[in-house]
Amino acid sequence: MQRVLNFSPGPATLPEEVLIRAQKEMLDCNNSGMSVMEMSHRSKAFEGILAKAQADLRAIMGIPDNYKILFLQGGAWTQFSMVPLNLFKTGKADYIVTGEWAKKASIEAKKYGEVNVVASSESSNFTFIPEIPKDKLNPNADYFHYTHNNTIFGTRFTYIPETGKVPLVCDMSSSILSEEVDVSRFGLIYAGAQKNMGPAGVTVIIIRDDMIGYAKDITPTMLNYKTHADNNSLFNTPPCYSIYICGLVYEWIKNRGGVKAMEKENNAKADLLYGFLDNSSLFKGTAQKKDRSLMNVTFVLPNEDLNKKFVAEAEAAGLSNLKGHRSVGGMRASIYNAMTLKGVEKLVDFMQKFEKNNK
Ligand SMILES: *Cc1c(COP(=O)(O)O)cnc(C)c1O
């Protein structure tokens, strides 16, 4: 068996310790005599798994008691419509468009109400996070939506926007648990698990109690937060196995010193890689320095032939999935929590050698 260093943007690398534990518990989880995949979601055994996943996530993120944690299906994409369906009261919301996912979220919301795009960096291919013009904010908006980390373009918000009494809604799909966040500042946080938290198939929603219960009448039962909040994510069959793996990841983070320790390691990883890029005469980072992502590092070589050569040689050397998104080109190294500092050191070593050989 040979595992590669997997720099995929998602589904992404998982902690090896978590995979080994899941392997150990595959046939008999917690003396239940069965795999989690074979358990009734109404069983004591699964209820225990769900309760522990929720408690551990609450502990490592510092989620206050007046927030519900929901484990839903349909990916982050489904949240692009669940958010407006559930949160529109006056039918007006503010969005900031900082990348492809933020744009998609804003377009989806337009089906249900009025979307005010307060700023966008699309005209410069999303290489930075634009300022939020205070005079563009609607003080009576039902919510303000932003994407914390722009997975495709390698940028991130380094601060929490100030929106007064307008609730903040945030897509944290590619950055949840990567750095400490004051959850009490938010009305709603959502994140697909498959980037930094677990396998595909589950989306985590952290929602403040007073945000629940305002869905439009036509809202499908399955797309109403109240349905899932009232039933502790057990209204219908939840993605049991994905929830179980997320739970193992939360425990792994807890045992390693929590999100604070993750943030420290993520900063060290990003500093190493960006430090190399900044001093390289061959490689070049594509995101503006002030807004650089800790999770997705985007960079290019001087021409397309070299980009292709780099990706192919890296793949052959066991450094996998470094090809950038087609809208940016070049390369993208996704260095989520489960990618070790050692892994990033190997990538930088490889880049150094490539630079020497291709000058
Ligand atoms: C990947 C991603 C999405 C889409 O997630 P799905 O689970 O595939 O629907 C949305 N937002 C961000 C920031 C992402 O990185």
Side-chain angles (χ1 to χ4, degrees):
M1 184 189 73
Q2 181 144 30
R3 282 176 60 77
V4 296
L5 285 170
N6 183 4
F7 294 95
S8 166
T13 189
L14 284 165
E16 207 159 281
E17 294 91 329
V18 165
L19 296 176
I20 290 167
R21 165 111 179 252
Q23 183 182 44
K24 258 192 204 139
E25 296 179 346
M26 178 60 78
L27 299 183
D28 177 6
C29 185
N30 296 337
N31 296 318
S32 63
M34 60 182 89
S35 158
V36 177
M37 278 181 267
E38 304 167 303
M39 281 177 189
S40 162
H41 59 294
R42 311 265 173 223
S43 64
K44 278 266 165 314
F46 184 73
E47 274 181 11
I49 288 169
L50 176 64
K52 181 160 173 20
Q54 286 168 330
D56 282 348
L57 182 61
R58 199 175 284 282
I60 58 178
M61 275 187 87
I63 301 171
D65 289 342
N66 61 326
Y67 286 74
K68 298 274 186 299
I69 298 169
L70 310 177
F71 292 101
L72 307 186
Q73 303 190 54
W77 243 112
T78 299
Q79 295 309 305
F80 297 167
S81 42
M82 269 181 94
V83 164
L85 270 169
N86 282 266
L87 305 188
F88 270 149
K89 293 178 191 163
T90 68
K92 290 182 181 167
D94 287 350
Y95 278 71
I96 182 162
V97 174
T98 55
E100 205 51 48
W101 297 115
K103 186 179 166 189
K104 287 187 164 91
S106 74
I107 292 171
E108 191 70 8
K110 275 185 200 150
K111 292 184 178 173
Y112 308 100
E114 233 174 90
V115 166
N116 171 35
V117 174
V118 301
S120 169
S121 48
E122 186 170 18
S123 61
S124 60
N125 203 27
F126 299 121
T127 48
F128 69 100
I129 304 285
E131 291 270 321
I132 299 172
K134 283 264 160 352
D135 59 329
K136 282 269 194 97
L137 291 176
N138 172 6
N140 300 310
D142 293 328
Y143 61 89
F144 175 97
H145 179 282
Y146 77 106
T147 308
H148 177 244
N149 181 72
N150 298 285
T151 323
I152 293 173
F153 300 94
T155 62
R156 87 187 207 276
F157 274 87
T158 52
Y159 65 97
I160 299 176
E162 199 56 70
T163 55
K165 64 173 177 42
V166 175
L168 279 174
V169 173
C170 188
D171 178 354
M172 291 194 190
S173 291
S174 52
S175 55
I176 192 163
L177 302 172
S178 67
E179 55 184 301
E180 288 193 297
V181 167
D182 180 359
V183 175
S184 73
R185 296 277 306 275
F186 294 85
L188 190 156
I189 292 168
Y190 63 90
Q194 73 273 18
K195 311 280 173 43
N196 202 26
M197 202 160 43
V202 64
T203 308
V204 170
I205 285 87
I206 300 163
I207 182 168
R208 204 172 60 214
D209 288 338
D210 67 301
M211 307 287 288
I212 302 169
Y214 297 97
K216 286 180 195 291
D217 290 342
I218 56 131
T219 305
T221 306
M222 278 297 290
L223 299 188
N224 191 330
Y225 292 124
K226 189 165 173 16
T227 303
H228 302 288
D230 287 351
N231 292 282
N232 191 27
S233 302
L234 293 169
F235 172 72
N236 73 324
T237 318
C240 301
Y241 198 76
S242 295
I243 294 170
Y244 157 74
I245 299 286
C246 284
L248 297 186
V249 171
Y250 303 152
E251 196 177 324
W252 176 81
I253 291 175
K254 204 168 80 173
N255 292 338
R256 288 169 53 103
V259 176
K260 202 189 196 89
M262 289 290 128
E263 178 174 338
K264 196 167 165 230
E265 179 149 358
N266 288 329
N267 273 312
K269 281 148 54 183
D271 285 350
L272 180 67
L273 191 42
Y274 286 123
F276 170 75
L277 288 172
D278 289 344
N279 290 305
S280 167
S281 52
L282 197 65
F283 292 93
K284 198 168 155 278
T286 63
Q288 280 192 16
K289 279 188 190 176
K290 68 178 177 67
D291 301 322
R292 280 167 165 176
S293 168
L294 291 180
M295 297 282 96
N296 311 98
V297 179
T298 50
F299 53 95
V300 291
L301 284 158
N303 62 61
E304 205 37 51
D305 287 346
L306 274 179
N307 286 335
K308 277 201 182 117
K309 188 176 180 210
F310 178 83
V311 170
E313 287 183 8
E315 196 72 49
L319 305 164
S320 218
N321 289 318
L322 283 162
K323 191 170 164 17
H325 191 271
R326 62 188 177 281
S327 57
V328 181
M331 279 65 68
R332 167 174 48 173
S334 295
I335 50 174
Y336 298 118
N337 284 349
M339 175 55 65
T340 59
L341 180 59
K342 244 204 179 103
V344 177
E345 281 167 0
K346 282 197 178 143
L347 172 61
V348 170
D349 276 353
F350 181 82
M351 289 167 80
Q352 259 158 357
K353 284 196 192 105
F354 188 89
E355 179 162 343
K356 233 188 232 155
N357 295 339
N358 291 277
K359 268 216 167 127

